[in-house]
């Protein structure tokens, strides 16, 4: 069923690649990515940039592949929107460990009108949503159940005995979640509004403040 939902989500989103012309902001972002793609101004020093640059560099990758067409600038977001579907299911599974809840989460994202509408655009929002959700999924995957035990939801909830310091074993999960959240903040400044949510989920899972 999850695979079927993913293909349905793909069908709903691909049409938008060719359905509309650029919004003014999309055109501006695409022009910045073009400057990067043709190596005319790869650091965008000649432009007044008010956004973090990750999306523009990702857009620049697709221009040499598909040429200077509108949908080339929308490819990073269509990929991000499609990845958001399974990542949402992973987050729901790790939080609730329930198959029905995971399927409902996937279906909600797959059929969300807002997610579909923004998927095939050159805006920064789809990429931001993917990275924030992935950061939450990374945090939700590890639950500290005691001072000497950690439960990894990604391993089907099987408890794993952890020797010595739990804080030491949280280093890599912290690095992974922090790196993903860093990508979100490199996409859009509003990512920082979700930092309390990421930290709050870690605290809820009994991660130590260290």
């Amino acid at each position: 069923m999850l695979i079927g939902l993913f293909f349905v989500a793909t069908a709903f989103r691909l049409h938008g690649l060719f359905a509309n012309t650029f919004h003014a902001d999309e055109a501006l972002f695409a022009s910045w990515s073009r400057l990067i793609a043709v190596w005319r101004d790869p650091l965008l020093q000649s432009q007044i940039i008010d956004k973090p640059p990750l999306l523009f560099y990702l857009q620049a990758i697709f221009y040499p592949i598909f040429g200077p067409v509108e949908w080339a600038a929308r490819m990073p977001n269509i990929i991000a929107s499609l990845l958001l579907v399974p990542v949402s299911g992973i987050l729901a599974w790790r939080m609730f460990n329930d198959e029905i809840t995971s399927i409902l989460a996937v279906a909600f994202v797959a059929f969300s009108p807002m997610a579909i509408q923004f998927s095939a655009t050159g805006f920064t929002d789809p990429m931001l949503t993917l990275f924030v959700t992935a950061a939450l999924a990374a945090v939700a995957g590890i639950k500290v159940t005691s001072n000497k035990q950690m439960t990894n939801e990604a391993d089907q909830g099987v408890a794993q005995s952890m020797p010595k310091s739990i804080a030491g074993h949280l280093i890599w999960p912290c690095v992974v979640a922090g790196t993903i959240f860093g990508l979100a903040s490199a996409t859009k400044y509003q990512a920082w509004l979700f930092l309390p949510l990421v930290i709050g989920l870690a605290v809820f899972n009994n991660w130590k403040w260290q």
Side-chain angles (χ1 to χ4, degrees):
M1 179 176 289
L2 292 176
I3 296 176
L5 286 172
F6 178 80
F7 282 114
V8 171
T10 302
F12 281 174
R13 284 158 172 75
L14 287 180
H15 171 72
L17 275 176
F18 316 99
N20 303 298
T21 57
F22 274 155
H23 180 274
D25 287 344
E26 288 182 279
L28 178 62
F29 299 161
S31 68
W32 291 343
S33 63
R34 279 284 291 160
L35 292 175
I36 299 170
V38 300
W39 213 251
R40 179 178 172 183
D41 187 6
L43 297 180
L44 299 177
Q45 293 178 319
S46 64
Q47 305 296 309
I48 301 177
I49 308 297
D50 60 350
K51 305 284 184 183
L54 179 59
L55 175 63
F56 314 140
Y57 284 99
L58 293 177
Q59 288 176 322
I61 295 173
F62 290 92
Y63 280 121
I65 301 174
F66 299 112
V69 292
E70 290 184 354
W71 54 272
R74 293 170 169 169
M75 285 302 297
N77 277 342
I78 197 75
I79 294 172
S81 181
L82 292 175
L83 290 176
L84 179 63
V85 176
V87 169
S88 299
I90 293 171
L91 173 60
W93 172 260
R94 289 181 170 182
M95 289 188 66
F96 303 104
N97 199 25
D98 181 74
E99 182 179 350
I100 299 300
T101 303
S102 300
I103 292 175
L104 289 175
V106 169
F108 181 83
V109 175
F111 298 114
S112 169
M114 188 69 72
I116 294 172
Q117 186 68 26
F118 272 84
S119 61
T121 65
F123 297 117
T124 54
D125 304 272
M127 194 76 62
L128 168 70
T129 306
L130 171 65
F131 287 135
V132 169
T133 305
L136 290 170
V139 173
I142 302 292
K143 292 183 179 180
V144 179
T145 56
S146 70
N147 288 336
K148 293 185 178 180
Q149 192 175 65
M150 184 182 301
T151 299
N152 189 336
E153 297 293 350
D155 293 332
Q156 301 179 353
V158 178
Q160 300 175 344
S161 295
M162 308 300 292
K164 300 181 181 180
S165 171
I166 289 297
H169 292 280
L170 285 174
I171 291 177
W172 283 112
C174 286
V175 169
V176 172
T179 299
I180 297 173
F181 185 82
L183 293 174
S185 63
T187 303
K188 194 169 185 177
Y189 293 125
Q190 282 79 354
W192 294 104
L193 298 175
F194 296 93
L195 183 59
L197 181 61
V198 177
I199 295 176
L201 182 57
V203 173
F204 180 79
N205 284 347
N206 295 323
W207 288 31
K208 302 302 179 182
W209 283 105
Q210 298 94 309

